[in-house]
Amino acid sequence: PELAQTRFKNYKTQALAYSFPEGFSGKLTEMGLTATRTSATGLKAAIIREKGVNSDREMAYMLHLAGFDVKDVHMTDLISGRETLEDIQMIVFVGGFSNSDVLGSAKGWAGAFKYNERAKKALDAYYARPDTLSLGVCNGCQLMMELGLIFPELADQHPRMLHNESGKFECTFTAVTIADNRSVMLSSLAGSKLGIWAAHGEGKFGFDSKVRDYNVIGNYHINQYPANPNGSEDGAAMVCSDDGRHLAMMPHLERSMFPWNWPYYPADRKNDDVSPWIEAFVNARKWVEKHRR
């Protein structure tokens, strides 16, 4: 009960401090979007799944809503060679509990890439192309850390994911502040403070060097438990590649897309169709439109 009261007060406090991006209308039509699109756009994104992941449908819907044609790709597709990602320009590693997380922090999922020749070849070729984007959320973030996909130049000093300081799985609605950044997906949200769901057991970023040496672009709005649910230094919640194309984050933006997803949403914006997180996917679609082959 005491923790529940603390979280309730935290929700209420952070709701009063939200900062939405300037000019955000909250209306799908004003962003050129429709929830009833049935025609293809030719802009191809793929959801990468492994045994035990979740939130793939929420993520697929957000990509579809933003204007992508979305492909479902299971690891068996990559391992068998049925899928090569050659025609894909954005991939998303979703959240959940890959392989039951019994090996911890997506190590088993990472192994499926490292030790299967076709899957590894497809992934390496994808990241070698200059016209691709990627996003990893929660379990997908853990995977990207295991594979060293955000800062490949750091090798052994790449961030890793550690157990929450609480020693428990934490599921909470918190908020993040977006720093000035060059991220393809989040640059337009710089300066915003937005509510977001977090749900993980190993969400603490482990940095071998100083935090400023890593491109941390999003921080929990209060660097204290439970607003910072895992104990990451400086409340680090999101990291991005230096070129802005590859993003990894622990909290779930795809679960925070609609006003009714938020325990508290600004009262003067109750007629919004979507929350500002939709901009991340719209930004990705616009980038792909400019860079597709």
Side-chain angles (χ1 to χ4, degrees):
E2 183 177 346
L3 179 58
Q5 290 178 358
T6 300
R7 285 180 168 165
F8 181 82
K9 291 178 181 178
N10 182 50
Y11 296 158
K12 190 172 183 179
T13 300
Q14 70 193 27
L16 298 175
Y18 289 146
S19 176
F20 281 23
E22 185 177 353
F24 177 73
S25 69
K27 297 297 182 183
L28 289 174
T29 54
E30 294 188 26
M31 288 180 274
L33 306 179
T34 175
T36 58
R37 176 173 69 89
T38 57
S39 59
T41 64
L43 306 172
K44 297 183 180 181
I47 301 292
I48 311 295
R49 293 191 297 118
E50 177 59 300
K51 302 181 294 292
V53 299
N54 61 34
S55 297
D56 46 292
R57 293 187 180 187
E58 292 92 332
M59 191 68 76
Y61 182 60
M62 291 304 104
L63 288 164
H64 174 80
L65 188 61
F68 284 99
D69 300 332
V70 188
K71 196 173 190 177
D72 176 54
V73 177
H74 194 273
M75 285 303 300
T76 53
D77 297 319
L78 293 167
I79 291 169
S80 68
R82 288 191 299 268
E83 175 61 55
T84 63
L85 304 177
E86 291 176 346
D87 63 338
I88 302 297
Q89 282 188 270
M90 181 168 183
I91 59 174
V92 181
F93 304 108
V94 293
F97 305 91
S98 56
N99 299 288
S100 301
D101 256 4
V102 293
L103 299 175
S105 291
K107 288 181 174 61
W109 192 358
F113 277 110
K114 290 179 179 179
Y115 306 118
N116 287 283
E117 182 179 358
R118 289 170 177 163
K120 187 177 188 306
K121 181 180 179 180
L123 189 71
D124 289 346
Y126 183 85
Y127 277 91
R129 287 164 45 195
D131 64 333
T132 60
L133 302 176
S134 65
L135 168 66
V137 175
C138 196
N139 203 197
C141 173
Q142 295 166 343
L143 174 69
M144 295 182 85
M145 298 303 106
E146 285 291 323
L147 293 175
L149 295 176
I150 299 296
F151 310 111
E153 70 282 1
L154 294 181
D156 293 339
Q157 288 192 314
H158 197 281
R160 60 198 183 282
M161 305 314 299
L162 308 175
H163 286 283
N164 297 345
E165 287 190 354
S166 67
K168 302 181 297 181
F169 177 87
E170 297 285 346
C171 181
T172 187
F173 190 79
T174 182
V176 291
T177 299
I178 309 299
D180 288 337
N181 67 87
R182 296 175 55 199
S183 165
V184 168
M185 296 187 73
L186 297 181
S187 59
S188 70
L189 295 175
S192 301
K193 181 188 290 185
L194 304 173
I196 195 167
W197 281 101
H200 52 253
E202 296 173 67
K204 179 180 178 180
F205 280 96
F207 300 117
D208 289 329
S209 186
K210 296 179 180 179
V211 174
R212 67 171 179 268
D213 294 336
Y214 300 91
N215 195 15
V216 176
I217 65 169
N219 306 76
Y220 296 108
H221 70 120
I222 299 173
N223 188 21
Q224 181 179 342
Y225 182 83
N228 175 349
N230 50 59
S232 287
E233 187 176 352
D234 287 351
M238 309 172 181
V239 295
C240 183
S241 61
D242 292 335
D243 64 5
R245 294 193 294 127
H246 308 297
L247 174 66
M249 56 194 297
M250 285 310 299
H252 287 267
L253 76 171
E254 82 285 0
R255 298 182 187 177
S256 312
M257 280 292 166
F258 302 104
W260 47 266
N261 291 143
W262 298 31
Y264 279 90
Y265 197 80
D268 60 346
R269 304 198 63 105
K270 63 182 180 180
N271 293 320
D272 283 3
D273 297 327
V274 286
S275 80
W277 289 117
I278 190 63
E279 283 197 10
F281 296 96
V282 172
N283 291 338
R285 186 255 299 164
K286 290 179 178 178
W287 188 93
V288 166
E289 285 177 328
K290 292 179 180 179
H291 295 83
R292 62 177 167 176
R293 295 176 295 178

